[in-house]
Amino acid sequence: MDKDKFYIVGNWKSNKTVAEAAAWMQEFTALWKNNQFNTQKLKIIICPADIHLTTLKSLITASQIPLSLGLQDVSAYDIGAYTGELNASMAKDLVEYTLIGHSERRKYFQENEELLNRKYDQAQKSGIKSIFCVQEENQVFPQTAEFIAYEPIWAIGTGKPDTSQNANRVAKILKSKSANKIKVIYGGSVTPENVATYAGESDIDGVLPGGASLKADTFYRLIQNASNT
Ligand code: PGA
């Protein structure tokens, strides 16, 4: 791996009770304490449901494991009378990152480009880094975005990942469309068994595992296999 850092962003989606989230963290901590990775080369981020953020934050602080937290989504609105919304300034002390425009948000919640741009602006204003998700190479993304996730819909949760070669080709195209130096991560059926193929590609800066982040030992193996690349 000759990149500055390889990003591993676990997206828990709409899963886990409070007790299950705490148990995941306990198990992950025990695994981590027995085996050390070359963490200089890795950036590990968990995007849990919002209700788990404070619990995970205190467990991470207590364990001193270099795990960062991210949101799965953020409000397009600022502080105020917006029932049910979690806005970026409320979350900024807990998270470093947020996903924006995940295909499941676009599909089930009808999120369109205009709304996603407003979400992106809210995150920027609060200093939260956006991981802006696109589903194919021709999709637009904010020009100032630093992180793009390429997550083809047909590869999500299907056990049929895109090949690392094609994901790398798309990553190159996305990079060529930005005036800035951006990082591109790949999402779609990433597992401990295939993560090394993505880590070995020149233009893939990380992965976005969903299902493979839900069990602490699977996620741990995924990290281990990425770090050995
Ligand atoms: P999956 O999800 O790893 O479960 O396929 C990936 C994603 O949502 O991008």
Side-chain angles (χ1 to χ4, degrees), residues 30-72:
L31 290 164
W32 187 276
K33 295 245 149 119
N34 285 334
N35 296 270
Q36 293 296 324
F37 295 119
N38 180 1
T39 50
Q40 306 294 95
K41 289 271 173 199
L42 296 174
K43 177 83 182 175
I44 305 163
I45 303 160
I46 296 288
C47 302
D50 299 336
I51 53 159
H52 302 317
L53 288 170
T54 48
T55 312
L56 291 185
K57 180 78 174 177
S58 34
L59 291 173
I60 290 167
T61 307
S63 68
Q64 295 186 317
I65 291 178
L67 264 184
S68 299
L69 290 171
L71 302 175
Q72 297 175 11

Side-chain angles (χ1 to χ4, degrees), residues 11 13 102-104 150-151 155-159 186-190 208-212:
N11 177 8
K13 306 189 180 181
H102 189 281
S103 56
E104 288 151 14
Y150 161 58
E151 39 124 30
I156 296 174
T158 59
Y186 166 74
S189 300
V190 175
L208 176 64

Side-chain angles (χ1 to χ4, degrees), residues 64-120:
Q64 295 186 317
I65 291 178
L67 264 184
S68 299
L69 290 171
L71 302 175
Q72 297 175 11
D73 180 38
V74 73
S75 180
Y77 295 88
D78 215 326
I79 298 172
Y82 303 102
T83 301
E85 288 291 90
L86 181 76
N87 69 60
S89 57
M90 289 157 75
K92 70 170 190 281
D93 297 332
L94 292 169
V95 302
E96 264 180 76
Y97 298 88
T98 183
L99 299 177
I100 292 186
H102 189 281
S103 56
E104 288 151 14
R105 300 296 315 170
R106 295 177 192 252
K107 177 178 172 191
Y108 297 116
F109 306 96
Q110 289 79 43
E111 297 195 351
N112 59 25
E113 295 304 333
E114 191 264 333
L115 183 75
L116 296 176
N117 278 315
R118 284 172 43 216
K119 291 185 172 207
Y120 177 80

